[in-house]
Amino acid sequence: MSVSTLVPAAWWARLGQARRRTFLGYLFLSPWLVGLLAFTLFPILAVFGLGFMEYGIFGRPTWVGLENYRDILTNDRLFLTTLGNTLYFVALSVPLSTVIGFLLAVALNTRLIGQTLFRTAFYVPSIVPQVAAVLLFVWLFHPQIGLINFALDLLGLEGPNWLGRPQWAKPAIVIMGLWGVGGGMIIYLAGLQSIPQHLYEAAEIDGATEMRRFLMITIPLMTPTLFYNLIIGIIGSFQVFVTAYVATQGGPLNSTLFYVLYLYRYGFEEFRLGYASALAWILFLLVLALTVVVFRSSSSWVYYESGGER
Amino acid sequence: MRVAESVNLPARAGPSWRYRRSTRRVLRMSAVHLALVATGFLFLLPLLWMVSTSLKSLTQQVAWPPEWIPQPFVWRNYPDAAAFLPLVRYTLNSLTITVLFVIGTLLSCPLIAYAFARIRFPGRDFLFIVLIATIMLPGVVRLIPTYLMFRQLGFLNTYLPMVLPAFFGSPLFIFLLRQYFRTFPEELADAARMDGASEIGILYRIFMPMSGPALAVITIFAVQSQWNDFVDPLIYLNKEKMRTLAVGLYYFRAYQDTTNWGQMMAAATMMTAPILILFALFQRYFIQGVALTGMKG
């Protein structure tokens, strides 16, 4: 398995050490480099190009210039609906899952009896396969015999027809996502455990209250982790698809027609691949812009030790 | 109250002011415990309900108020669900994809990660930034061109669109392995090189045997990703026989009127059980792996 079986020995012998290293480095990277070209760079360029074309399932793609974009922005009445739905979902689910995940982690990071048990209880729902989880929640959200409305009934509240009413379907889908908050919790927990204990001890000796220690030590030292999760959370929730596809198919009255579901319909149900590509490119720019904004803002709230190593 | 008592047990020696505050402390700790027990219960309840429903008779499924313990236990929901849709077949399909994907991942990722971690060459650091950028790329952007590419190659209704990319390395797994390889002392590879070991030799004889936990983590992530994947099988496979379990399960929802909740929950349980068993066996790696992905890089 040595390199000499792959390349002419004489040529290899003439190479200097540095050249050999470079050759080997790229050789090892080559699967990834090929994959990068085929599965990432090519698709990004192609989706940009396809956005300017009309491309049905049969026949050849034809150039239509900016027509797809013009249609999306001026004629497509559902585009704004779907954008609004998606922003609603992102605006609700990202902060909620961050706050809940973080608070759970803080609670679990105290001296607890049965800490592992608690950690498992909160984490396990996040590994339940998504489709199974959605089926389960469709059952839990059943308007007449669902467990959730039964619980609300016990509290004296009348539960809504969750997935059947436009104003309740989106919150229901947010709740489904929050069930999986345990994954984020584990990340926060790891972050909390890596905060040096002596900082807290020093602050305690100086007479800092617990609240103050939380605000002045825990929060600042957790900002890099929070930042990372925020970015991943935004990118992920902009692409919400499976929950809506399985639970509601975008209904009722398009109230859960999220962006990717809409794109999927154009791409794989109506086979208007050019139009769907234009939609994809718009989403890409949107997510990119938002990511850049969050990155920009990070210098004012993300705290890096030793003067920002990144 | 039991919880409060046991909180009190490990009486810690400390300055006397600690003792004066201890009553408040115990009260507060028991409040935290109670709140966590309640929310923890809330998180687990849906899973218990899923299993419970899967074992109920038709009449008990719709009983109001809901009943927790199935009476009698209706195991038939499982074979009935597997007869309603060929779940065994779907399971085998999912398993095939998952196994091939894991093989591809384990062949490609260590090699790539090793180059990023331990071979010095011009362009490496730039390419590493590219790698991280691709982790953050929204996957939906490449959906349509990739679909067209695989269609052009004649890969529709094969497992290649799911499996093939694994052999070219997944950015997140490469990143995780690279971080792990970086924790080995630099001298380790250098000393082996002095002894005349090739880079491949260093990777397979020294690095890989020392990387059990990291390899376990990426294997588990790879299994999860393929077992759960919904979108790719949905767009690439339209022969009913080739469906995966995830897509197959969707049809329980689509044909909801002709089945019942017991069967549906039986199918959901069948899909969830392998992952839970995996978790029970390799808990540590699940938790460590998730924690690792959150480390800044």
Side-chain angles (χ1 to χ4, degrees):
Chain A
M1 274 278 263
S2 92
V3 180
S4 45
T5 56
L6 293 172
V7 293
W11 175 77
W12 183 250
R14 256 188 291 119
L15 284 181
Q17 263 237 303
R19 291 256 175 100
R20 279 187 199 177
R21 266 211 308 270
T22 306
F23 176 80
L24 280 174
Y26 282 95
L27 186 70
F28 278 37
L29 284 193
S30 57
W32 174 69
L33 287 170
V34 172
L36 182 72
L37 285 176
F39 303 127
T40 304
L41 294 181
F42 160 73
I44 292 179
L45 289 176
V47 83
F48 183 58
L50 281 166
F52 299 114
M53 294 181 200
E54 176 96 53
Y55 193 1
I57 182 93
F58 305 110
R60 309 227 138 257
T62 50
W63 185 267
V64 293
L66 285 170
E67 200 177 295
N68 288 330
Y69 290 94
R70 211 183 48 223
D71 277 354
I72 291 170
L73 296 174
T74 58
N75 288 337
D76 190 332
R77 271 178 300 145
L78 281 178
F79 173 70
L80 284 182
T81 310
T82 186
L83 199 60
N85 288 340
T86 310
L87 290 174
Y88 176 113
F89 179 81
V90 174
L92 210 59
S93 82
V94 172
L96 278 178
S97 56
T98 307
V99 170
I100 295 174
F102 187 65
L103 287 181
L104 283 177
V106 169
L108 287 197
N109 197 37
T110 53
R111 279 160 45 91
L112 287 177
I113 300 147
Q115 199 200 35
T116 324
L117 222 62
F118 283 123
R119 196 181 60 183
T120 307
F122 291 117
Y123 177 66
V124 158
S126 77
I127 57 170
V128 172
Q130 209 178 5
V131 183
V134 177
L135 284 190
L136 170 59
F137 268 87
V138 168
W139 171 220
L140 289 167
F141 276 125
H142 194 288
Q144 281 92 40
I145 50 171
L147 202 59
I148 289 175
N149 279 0
F150 174 69
L152 291 175
D153 199 47
L154 289 180
L155 297 172
L157 298 167
E158 197 184 334
N161 180 359
W162 289 94
L163 297 170
R165 287 272 171 277
Q167 68 270 39
W168 287 108
K170 271 194 289 280
I173 289 193
V174 172
I175 292 172
M176 289 185 202
L178 289 180
W179 194 46
V181 85
M185 181 200 74
I186 295 289
I187 295 179
Y188 295 129
L189 198 55
L192 287 171
Q193 281 165 358
S194 70
I195 298 178
Q197 207 55 41
H198 66 81
L199 293 178
Y200 290 110
E201 284 157 11
E204 203 173 346
I205 290 168
D206 289 348
T209 62
E210 194 156 354
M211 195 48 166
R212 208 169 152 69
R213 274 177 272 155
F214 180 73
L215 291 177
M216 305 308 279
I217 300 173
T218 311
I219 298 274
L221 287 180
M222 283 299 286
T223 46
T225 314
L226 285 163
F227 172 66
Y228 169 83
N229 267 12
L230 186 67
I231 298 272
I232 296 294
I234 289 173
I235 296 171
S237 36
F238 258 102
Q239 300 183 78
V240 53
F241 172 78
V242 178
T243 29
Y245 186 87
V246 176
T248 56
Q249 281 283 320
L253 297 175
N254 295 321
S255 62
T256 58
L257 185 62
F258 297 117
Y259 201 101
V260 175
L261 184 53
Y262 192 52
L263 187 156
Y264 172 86
R265 278 193 192 167
Y266 269 110
F268 300 100
E269 284 172 11
E270 300 189 18
F271 292 104
R272 288 182 59 189
L273 295 162
Y275 198 84
S277 296
L279 283 171
W281 189 251
I282 291 175
L283 183 72
F284 180 47
L285 289 183
L286 216 73
V287 174
L288 190 69
L290 206 62
T291 314
V292 168
V293 169
V294 177
F295 259 103
R296 279 277 166 79
S297 80
S298 72
S299 60
S300 67
W301 64 273
V302 177
Y303 172 85
Y304 286 111
E305 271 177 289
S306 62
E309 61 189 69
R310 211 153 91 124
Chain B
M1 208 190 269
R2 272 196 85 118
V3 179
E5 273 168 22
S6 21
V7 168
N8 216 356
L9 273 179
R12 292 198 295 168
S16 60
W17 52 267
R18 272 221 170 114
Y19 288 111
R20 255 178 277 141
R21 293 193 352 193
S22 68
T23 328
R24 238 183 73 198
R25 232 185 122 86
V26 168
L27 275 177
R28 226 197 45 180
M29 281 318 281
S30 25
V32 169
H33 276 86
L34 269 180
L36 281 176
V37 168
T39 33
F41 202 57
L42 207 68
F43 269 73
L44 285 183
L45 225 55
L47 268 184
L48 298 176
W49 190 239
M50 176 169 91
V51 178
S52 155
T53 305
S54 78
L55 295 170
K56 281 181 190 167
S57 66
L58 201 54
T59 45
Q60 210 190 3
Q61 287 165 31
V62 297
W64 189 268
E67 292 163 15
W68 278 95
I69 311 293
Q71 214 167 26
F73 276 78
V74 182
W75 298 99
R76 234 193 45 213
N77 285 333
Y78 284 82
D80 281 0
F84 179 71
L85 287 173
L87 291 183
V88 177
R89 172 88 211 203
Y90 295 169
T91 306
L92 291 177
N93 294 344
S94 284
L95 213 57
T96 309
I97 293 177
T98 305
V99 167
L100 292 174
F101 188 91
V102 167
I103 291 173
T105 299
L106 289 180
L107 281 177
S108 63
C109 292
L111 209 63
I112 301 159
Y114 178 79
F116 274 127
R118 277 296 172 255
I119 303 180
R120 284 171 292 258
F121 56 92
R124 182 188 72 173
D125 297 337
F126 168 73
L127 287 173
F128 188 63
I129 293 172
V130 173
L131 179 89
I132 291 176
T134 58
I135 295 179
M136 303 223 236
L137 185 77
V140 64
V141 172
R142 27 181 169 193
L143 193 65
I144 288 159
T146 314
Y147 169 80
L148 288 171
M149 182 172 72
F150 282 135
R151 192 179 73 173
Q152 201 64 40
L153 291 167
F155 288 176
L156 293 195
N157 284 315
T158 73
Y159 294 143
L160 286 169
M162 278 67 79
V163 169
L164 198 66
F167 288 83
F168 298 89
S170 316
L172 181 66
F173 302 159
I174 296 170
F175 173 75
L176 288 177
L177 266 184
R178 182 257 187 193
Q179 300 302 81
Y180 197 83
F181 287 165
R182 292 282 279 197
T183 63
F184 301 159
E186 190 106 30
E187 298 80 45
L188 195 67
D190 286 341
R193 280 187 199 116
M194 298 283 263
D195 290 344
S198 65
E199 299 295 332
I200 282 279
I202 298 172
L203 171 61
Y204 283 104
R205 296 222 187 85
I206 303 175
F207 276 53
M208 292 283 269
M210 287 172 65
S211 304
L215 294 170
V217 165
I218 64 167
T219 304
I220 285 169
F221 280 4
V223 168
Q224 270 186 297
S225 77
Q226 292 312 296
W227 190 256
N228 299 350
D229 187 19
F230 184 76
V231 179
D232 284 344
L234 183 71
I235 63 175
Y236 290 116
L237 307 171
N238 42 44
K239 282 208 184 107
E240 206 186 320
K241 263 176 34 186
M242 296 195 71
R243 272 181 204 151
T244 61
L245 201 52
V247 174
L249 232 59
Y250 160 73
Y251 283 91
F252 274 91
R253 170 71 175 151
Y255 306 148
Q256 195 184 331
D257 299 337
T258 49
T259 170
N260 67 57
W261 292 105
Q263 286 178 25
M264 209 193 266
M265 290 303 108
T269 308
M270 280 159 83
M271 184 170 181
T272 309
I275 296 288
L276 292 187
I277 291 170
L278 208 64
F279 175 73
L281 293 176
F282 303 107
Q283 219 186 102
R284 209 154 53 94
Y285 299 123
F286 271 81
I287 304 272
Q288 275 172 358
V290 177
L292 269 179
T293 58
M295 296 295 129
K296 54 185 166 176

